[in-house]
Amino acid sequence: GAVVSQHPSRVICKSGTSVKIECRSLDFQATTMFWYRQFPKKSLMLMATSNEGSKATYEQGVEKDKFLINHASLTLSTLTVTSAHPEDSSFYICSAREVRNSGNTIYFGEGSWLTVV
Amino acid sequence: AQKITQTQPGMFVQEKEAVTLDCTYDTSDPSYGLFWYKQPSSGEMIFLIYQGSYDQQNATEGRYSLNFQKARKSANLVISASQLGDSAMYFCAMRGLNSGNTPLVFGKGTRLSVIA
């Protein structure tokens, strides 16, 4: 079946540095990918919608300059956390919908645990 | 706007018994999809089952079945013959189907614990 791969699965970075998280659709094309953030014991919170070849659409309250999203191809979207701070530590997970699919299945990556020290 | 409500923060079930996880929703979209995902402690989101708003029959996938009551706007997940490995967080979600770019909206989740 369709697979979405997310990398890295775990990353620790120093405060003030930037971290890039990749989300790849392995066997299907995804014009749209979604980035979520999840705090411990909480639900998934939509951060932004990543559109191939155009600017991402950010949810209210999400800083677009801090969470840079690039969707350069039909199989890859990246989330860059810039000038990371400890409060950015969280679980980040992406999802994708297959282009030819009517929308019945949304595939998720494995998620990325970010720890900023 | 869409909203998913899961009123059970935690549930316990005896191994081999069946359990129902509640989910109600609200939407103005005439066409929508309802999803259930399982999230173990590792964090991955495992797709379990899907129900389209115009599907006549309730969806079933192995031990999972979705009790869809459109008039009541409910989409409860039924897990039969619970196993210890079913212990996890379970999220109900939905999305409108009129546009290809609508994201999933999630409920707060229910933590299921299966007891031996």
Side-chain angles (χ1 to χ4, degrees):
Chain A
V3 175
V4 174
S5 177
Q6 195 170 332
H7 178 81
S9 58
R10 291 182 180 274
V11 58
I12 300 173
C13 71
K14 290 185 178 180
S15 185
T17 62
S18 295
V19 169
K20 180 185 288 186
I21 301 170
E22 294 186 346
C23 180
R24 290 182 186 275
S25 55
L26 296 185
D27 56 359
F28 68 97
Q29 294 181 330
T31 56
T32 303
M33 292 184 177
F34 305 96
W35 286 96
Y36 293 85
R37 181 175 182 177
Q38 187 178 28
F39 291 101
K41 300 183 179 180
K42 298 293 185 181
S43 186
L44 279 71
M45 179 188 74
L46 180 68
M47 296 176 67
T49 301
S50 171
N51 302 300
E52 187 269 334
S54 64
K55 291 182 179 180
T57 304
Y58 289 82
E59 295 300 299
Q60 191 174 11
V62 178
E63 299 176 60
K64 60 181 66 177
D65 293 331
K66 178 160 196 61
F67 299 100
L68 299 179
I69 291 173
N70 183 27
H71 196 151
S73 75
L74 285 171
T75 59
L76 175 64
S77 175
T78 59
L79 167 68
T80 301
V81 182
T82 62
S83 186
H85 287 93
E87 56 264 32
D88 298 325
S89 299
S90 189
F91 182 68
Y92 296 87
I93 190 166
C94 68
S95 71
R97 183 182 72 90
E98 189 173 0
V99 171
R100 294 171 297 175
N101 191 291
S102 64
N104 294 354
T105 306
I106 308 291
Y107 302 100
F108 279 84
E110 303 94 331
S112 299
W113 296 91
L114 170 64
T115 302
V116 184
V117 298
Chain B
Q2 297 164 341
K3 184 178 180 180
I4 293 284
T5 302
Q6 291 180 258
T7 58
Q8 306 155 314
M11 288 282 286
F12 289 89
V13 64
Q14 200 76 33
E15 193 179 10
K16 300 180 183 178
E17 297 292 314
V19 63
T20 298
L21 305 184
D22 294 341
C23 173
T24 58
Y25 62 90
D26 194 17
T27 181
S28 56
D29 288 322
S31 179
Y32 51 90
L34 296 155
F35 303 73
W36 276 93
Y37 287 86
K38 173 185 178 181
Q39 188 180 42
S41 56
S42 60
E44 60 184 313
M45 293 290 283
I46 302 170
F47 169 74
L48 297 178
I49 196 166
Y50 168 84
Q51 178 83 45
S53 58
Y54 286 103
D55 291 342
Q56 295 297 319
Q57 292 186 327
N58 286 347
T60 60
E61 288 287 348
R63 294 186 299 112
Y64 305 108
S65 61
L66 199 151
N67 184 3
F68 181 46
Q69 298 189 39
K70 195 171 184 178
R72 295 184 176 183
K73 294 189 176 180
S74 73
N76 298 340
L77 176 70
V78 180
I79 305 175
S80 62
S82 297
Q83 303 171 356
L84 295 178
D86 294 335
S87 295
M89 280 291 289
Y90 288 81
F91 290 98
C92 180
M94 74 177 299
R95 66 182 293 265
L97 300 181
N98 291 334
S99 169
N101 290 342
T102 54
L104 284 170
V105 174
F106 286 87
K108 292 185 176 181
T110 296
R111 179 166 296 282
L112 177 65
S113 299
V114 181
I115 304 168

